[in-house]
Amino acid sequence: MANRSRAREVALQALFQEDLNPRDSRDQVMPLLESRLKDHELREFAISLVLGVLRNREELDALIATKADNWSVSRMAATDRNVIRLGAYEIRYTDTPPRVAIDEAVELAKRFGSANSSQFVNGILDKLIEKKP
Protein backbone atom coordinates (compact mmCIF):
# COMPACT_ATOMS: atom_id res chain seq x y z
CA MET A 1 0.00 0.00 0.00
CA ALA A 2 1.34 3.40 -0.96
CA ASN A 3 2.27 5.63 1.95
CA ARG A 4 -0.27 8.36 1.28
CA SER A 5 -2.93 5.68 0.79
CA ARG A 6 -2.10 4.40 4.28
CA ALA A 7 -2.41 7.94 5.66
CA ARG A 8 -5.84 8.28 3.99
CA GLU A 9 -6.91 4.96 5.48
CA VAL A 10 -6.00 6.08 8.99
CA ALA A 11 -7.64 9.48 8.37
CA LEU A 12 -10.83 7.66 7.34
CA GLN A 13 -10.73 5.62 10.54
CA ALA A 14 -10.38 8.80 12.59
CA LEU A 15 -13.23 10.48 10.71
CA PHE A 16 -15.44 7.41 11.14
CA GLN A 17 -14.70 7.41 14.87
CA GLU A 18 -15.44 11.13 15.15
CA ASP A 19 -18.66 10.73 13.15
CA LEU A 20 -20.03 8.00 15.40
CA ASN A 21 -18.75 9.38 18.74
CA PRO A 22 -18.42 13.14 18.33
CA ARG A 23 -18.36 13.99 22.02
CA ASP A 24 -15.79 11.40 22.98
CA SER A 25 -13.37 10.95 20.14
CA ARG A 26 -11.83 14.35 19.35
CA ASP A 27 -9.33 13.77 22.13
CA GLN A 28 -8.65 10.33 20.69
CA VAL A 29 -8.02 11.44 17.10
CA MET A 30 -4.42 12.54 17.67
CA PRO A 31 -3.38 9.43 19.63
CA LEU A 32 -5.03 7.26 16.95
CA LEU A 33 -3.06 8.97 14.19
CA GLU A 34 0.17 8.91 16.20
CA SER A 35 -0.14 5.23 17.04
CA ARG A 36 -0.95 4.14 13.48
CA LEU A 37 1.39 6.42 11.53
CA LYS A 38 4.96 6.52 12.76
CA ASP A 39 6.27 8.56 9.81
CA HIS A 40 6.02 12.27 10.68
CA GLU A 41 5.21 13.41 7.12
CA LEU A 42 2.41 10.86 6.70
CA ARG A 43 1.01 11.67 10.12
CA GLU A 44 0.95 15.39 9.25
CA PHE A 45 -0.81 14.59 5.96
CA ALA A 46 -3.44 12.51 7.79
CA ILE A 47 -3.90 15.23 10.42
CA SER A 48 -4.41 17.84 7.71
CA LEU A 49 -7.07 15.65 6.08
CA VAL A 50 -8.93 14.94 9.32
CA LEU A 51 -8.86 18.53 10.55
CA GLY A 52 -9.77 19.83 7.10
CA VAL A 53 -12.80 17.57 6.83
CA LEU A 54 -13.92 18.40 10.37
CA ARG A 55 -13.44 22.13 9.86
CA ASN A 56 -15.40 22.09 6.58
CA ARG A 57 -17.88 19.32 7.32
CA GLU A 58 -21.03 21.47 7.04
CA GLU A 59 -19.98 22.86 3.67
CA LEU A 60 -18.87 19.44 2.42
CA ASP A 61 -22.14 17.84 3.52
CA ALA A 62 -24.14 20.56 1.77
CA LEU A 63 -22.11 20.07 -1.40
CA ILE A 64 -22.45 16.28 -1.23
CA ALA A 65 -26.20 16.59 -0.68
CA THR A 66 -26.55 18.54 -3.94
CA LYS A 67 -24.81 15.72 -5.85
CA ALA A 68 -26.36 12.71 -4.11
CA ASP A 69 -29.65 12.23 -5.91
CA ASN A 70 -32.33 10.85 -3.59
CA TRP A 71 -29.89 10.53 -0.68
CA SER A 72 -29.40 12.69 2.35
CA VAL A 73 -25.94 12.63 3.86
CA SER A 74 -27.35 11.43 7.17
CA ARG A 75 -28.93 8.38 5.47
CA MET A 76 -25.67 7.25 3.90
CA ALA A 77 -23.75 4.43 5.52
CA ALA A 78 -21.20 5.94 7.91
CA THR A 79 -18.28 4.49 5.98
CA ASP A 80 -19.54 5.80 2.64
CA ARG A 81 -20.35 9.19 4.12
CA ASN A 82 -16.85 9.63 5.50
CA VAL A 83 -15.10 8.31 2.40
CA ILE A 84 -17.09 10.81 0.33
CA ARG A 85 -16.30 13.63 2.76
CA LEU A 86 -12.60 12.78 2.58
CA GLY A 87 -12.62 12.62 -1.22
CA ALA A 88 -14.66 15.81 -1.51
CA TYR A 89 -12.27 17.61 0.82
CA GLU A 90 -9.27 16.56 -1.27
CA ILE A 91 -10.99 17.61 -4.51
CA ARG A 92 -12.16 20.94 -3.16
CA TYR A 93 -9.37 22.08 -0.83
CA THR A 94 -6.08 20.36 -1.69
CA ASP A 95 -3.65 20.11 -4.57
CA THR A 96 -4.43 16.42 -5.03
CA PRO A 97 -5.50 15.86 -8.64
CA PRO A 98 -9.26 15.17 -8.63
CA ARG A 99 -8.92 11.78 -10.36
CA VAL A 100 -6.35 10.69 -7.77
CA ALA A 101 -8.67 11.76 -4.95
CA ILE A 102 -11.52 9.80 -6.53
CA ASP A 103 -9.38 6.70 -7.14
CA GLU A 104 -8.14 6.77 -3.54
CA ALA A 105 -11.70 7.18 -2.21
CA VAL A 106 -12.96 4.33 -4.37
CA GLU A 107 -10.21 2.07 -3.05
CA LEU A 108 -11.15 2.96 0.53
CA ALA A 109 -14.80 2.24 -0.26
CA LYS A 110 -13.86 -1.17 -1.71
CA ARG A 111 -11.82 -1.98 1.36
CA PHE A 112 -14.14 -0.73 4.10
CA GLY A 113 -17.59 -0.35 2.55
CA SER A 114 -20.28 -2.65 1.25
CA ALA A 115 -20.39 -4.37 -2.13
CA ASN A 116 -21.91 -1.29 -3.80
CA SER A 117 -19.95 1.38 -1.93
CA SER A 118 -17.27 1.91 -4.53
CA GLN A 119 -19.78 2.67 -7.29
CA PHE A 120 -21.76 4.95 -4.98
CA VAL A 121 -18.64 6.88 -3.89
CA ASN A 122 -17.36 7.12 -7.46
CA GLY A 123 -20.70 8.42 -8.75
CA ILE A 124 -20.98 11.20 -6.21
CA LEU A 125 -17.34 12.31 -6.30
CA ASP A 126 -17.30 12.29 -10.09
CA LYS A 127 -20.11 14.87 -10.02
CA LEU A 128 -17.91 17.17 -7.91
CA ILE A 129 -15.37 17.61 -10.66
CA GLU A 130 -16.26 20.66 -12.66
CA LYS A 131 -16.82 19.63 -16.23
CA LYS A 132 -15.34 21.85 -18.92
CA PRO A 133 -17.45 22.33 -22.07
Side-chain angles (χ1 to χ4, degrees):
M1 177 181 296
N3 290 336
R4 289 191 123 203
S5 295
R6 173 72 178 137
R8 286 180 182 94
E9 176 184 307
V10 175
L12 172 62
Q13 293 167 347
L15 290 168
F16 181 85
Q17 179 177 310
E18 173 63 26
D19 192 19
L20 296 182
N21 299 303
R23 290 177 292 140
D24 301 324
S25 65
R26 282 190 191 259
D27 295 337
Q28 297 172 6
V29 168
M30 293 304 285
L32 172 74
L33 297 175
E34 289 171 0
S35 70
R36 301 234 172 117
L37 294 168
K38 301 302 181 194
D39 181 270
H40 176 74
E41 188 175 316
L42 293 179
R43 187 170 51 249
E44 289 301 313
F45 177 62
I47 289 169
S48 73
L49 293 175
V50 171
L51 294 179
V53 169
L54 293 177
R55 183 174 40 252
N56 297 289
R57 184 164 46 193
E58 284 183 33
E59 182 182 337
L60 292 170
D61 285 357
L63 179 64
I64 292 164
T66 67
K67 306 300 181 185
D69 299 329
N70 302 315
W71 281 94
S72 66
V73 175
S74 64
R75 278 189 48 228
M76 293 176 186
T79 302
D80 295 351
R81 177 173 57 239
N82 285 290
V83 169
I84 293 168
R85 284 174 177 159
L86 184 58
Y89 174 76
E90 281 201 80
I91 290 168
R92 187 116 169 136
Y93 295 101
T94 72
D95 293 334
T96 303
R99 289 285 164 213
V100 171
I102 291 173
D103 288 346
E104 290 287 335
V106 167
E107 289 305 313
L108 287 170
K110 285 179 182 176
R111 183 148 187 223
F112 294 103
S114 68
N116 297 321
S117 291
S118 61
Q119 294 95 338
F120 182 67
V121 166
N122 186 59
I124 292 174
L125 291 178
D126 189 53
K127 291 178 184 179
L128 294 180
I129 299 174
E130 294 188 24
K131 308 288 187 210
K132 296 184 181 178

